[in-house]
Amino acid sequence: MTTEPAFPDLHGAATGVGSMPGTDAREAARTAVGALEQLPYLPELPARGPGADMIGRGAGLLVELFAHTEPSGWRFADRPGRDTRRAHSWLGEDLDALEEFTQGYRGALKVQAVGPWTLAASIELRNGEKALRDPGARRGIADSLTEGLRRHLEDVRRRIPGAQVVLQLDEPSLPAVLAGAVKTASGFQRLRSVDRQVAEEGLRSVIGKLDVPVVVHCCAPGVPIPLLRRAGVAGVSLDFSLLTERDDDDLGEAVEAGTRILAGVVPSTDEGLSDPAGSVQGVRTLWRRLGLDPELLGRRVLVTPTCGLAGASPDYARRALSLSVKAAQSLVDNPE
């Protein structure tokens, strides 16, 4: 039986979800590394345009599969084109900037990529229909993405040899995939739901072939926590404000099993920020409700914004990351 890669042993840690505002890779890397001492991350800058967005960057990671933009969105193509080249160029620029600001760094480091189900729900086949409809296409995407991620992780470790890399797979479409809520290309109908076991196996086929701990991020309601755990995740990242008491048992079992919870509690767009302790009060309340050991709070929970910061102002993005750090420390200092 294989052992899943262990999540880094962090205490009172915070991190970002992925995206940052603006188009300056060096400034974004400086902020992500400077603000987040325990778990800095590789920023994404979707404001640069197609190829820098989540789906475009994911398409650029695929091996021997190529995509380009159409008026309707991303679509598979026979050969690499301008959009693929741009995705590769921007990822290289981001990695160059991260490498510059992590000279001599030793510790945990997070990188993000779109997951196989959200990719399949977002990219169209050449006939214009979503790849999610075609089981063969879905398997091809998962296999291609796995190889692309392996190469990407090797590159990150070569550039930052002291990094203990954590991979975050972004799966905002997963609840819709399971619920049969993904619209067809026409927008007038919805694709059939994907069986939960099939969805689990699809994620496991990617996670199980990578030699790093994997977190799945989903900022939609109805995050399937038990499915993700069975698929082999080391952590679940979610918007804490979307949780309901129906999620209590799943969360409690995950925490007790050692799964890290990346709790999105800091608003991701410009809003009045509460004090650090106040932003994580809901986490403390949940902990008491579940009867969990308060001393586990700082080790099992990491604090993040609710989602990516692309829609925020640069100043707010910096303050949101700083507040996340202070809020995470408050869980250690005052767990009850």
Side-chain angles (χ1 to χ4, degrees):
M1 182 176 176
T2 58
T3 303
E4 293 161 5
F7 196 90
D9 184 18
L10 306 176
H11 196 205
T15 191
V17 171
S19 65
M20 292 283 282
T23 60
D24 187 334
R26 292 185 73 254
E27 182 58 32
R30 187 202 313 270
T31 299
V33 173
L36 301 163
E37 182 179 339
Q38 291 197 60
L39 188 56
Y41 68 100
L42 175 66
E44 301 165 357
L45 298 172
R48 292 180 296 197
D53 60 301
M54 180 178 69
I55 301 303
R57 174 166 284 198
L61 286 170
L62 296 175
V63 175
E64 296 181 3
L65 287 178
F66 314 106
H68 65 270
T69 53
E70 296 273 342
S72 57
W74 286 91
R75 181 177 294 182
F76 283 115
D78 293 325
R79 59 184 64 85
R82 180 182 62 180
D83 294 325
T84 299
R85 290 191 293 273
R86 274 198 301 211
H88 292 167
S89 175
W90 276 323
L91 178 57
E93 183 180 310
D94 294 339
L95 286 167
D96 288 345
L98 185 68
E99 183 178 4
E100 177 184 348
F101 290 103
T102 51
Q103 291 296 308
Y105 176 75
R106 300 191 66 82
L109 174 74
K110 182 168 72 72
V111 298
Q112 307 80 225
V114 65
W117 290 109
T118 296
L119 212 49
S122 304
I123 302 183
E124 298 172 354
L125 300 173
R126 293 176 184 83
N127 63 10
E129 195 46 82
K130 297 282 180 67
L132 184 65
R133 170 172 270 176
D134 185 330
R138 298 185 323 221
R139 287 191 295 271
I141 288 171
D143 290 345
S144 176
L145 178 64
T146 302
E147 181 57 29
L149 287 172
R150 282 169 41 175
R151 298 180 186 185
H152 179 45
L153 293 168
E154 286 175 7
D155 189 20
V156 172
R157 283 186 285 224
R158 179 183 57 79
R159 291 167 175 266
I160 311 166
Q164 189 177 359
V165 183
V166 174
L167 172 65
Q168 173 184 303
L169 291 177
D170 292 314
E171 284 284 15
S173 298
L174 182 57
V177 167
L178 297 173
V182 176
K183 291 183 178 180
T184 59
S186 69
F188 297 118
Q189 295 178 299
R190 285 173 169 75
L191 298 175
R192 290 178 58 183
S193 62
V194 171
D195 181 82
R196 297 179 84 85
Q197 186 172 346
V198 172
E200 177 188 323
E201 290 170 353
L203 277 171
R204 190 187 301 113
S205 73
V206 177
I207 294 170
K209 293 172 184 168
L210 301 173
D211 60 351
V212 296
V214 175
V215 170
V216 167
H217 169 73
C218 181
C219 52
V223 179
I225 297 171
L227 183 156
L228 297 177
R229 287 181 54 214
R230 291 192 301 270
V233 302
V236 178
S237 172
L238 36 72
D239 181 341
F240 213 76
S241 69
L242 299 178
L243 293 175
T244 69
E245 291 195 17
R246 291 194 301 271
D247 299 305
D248 279 8
D249 289 345
D250 292 342
L251 270 170
E253 289 172 8
V255 169
E256 290 179 334
T259 305
R260 300 311 198 275
I261 305 299
L262 282 72
V265 295
V266 175
S268 57
T269 53
D270 298 46
E271 296 181 25
L273 294 173
S274 66
D275 66 287
S279 67
V280 287
Q281 193 53 47
V283 180
R284 291 192 184 90
T285 301
L286 172 69
W287 225 250
R288 287 195 296 270
R289 197 163 71 226
L290 296 177
L292 295 168
D293 181 357
E295 296 305 314
L296 280 178
L297 252 180
R299 295 194 179 279
R300 293 285 193 270
V301 175
L302 291 80
V303 175
T304 75
T306 54
C307 205
L309 295 166
S313 67
D315 179 64
Y316 181 87
R318 286 189 290 270
R319 289 191 292 126
L321 293 180
S322 177
L323 179 68
S324 298
V325 171
K326 293 174 182 174
Q329 186 58 45
S330 80
L331 289 178
V332 176
D333 296 340
N334 301 293
E336 299 183 81

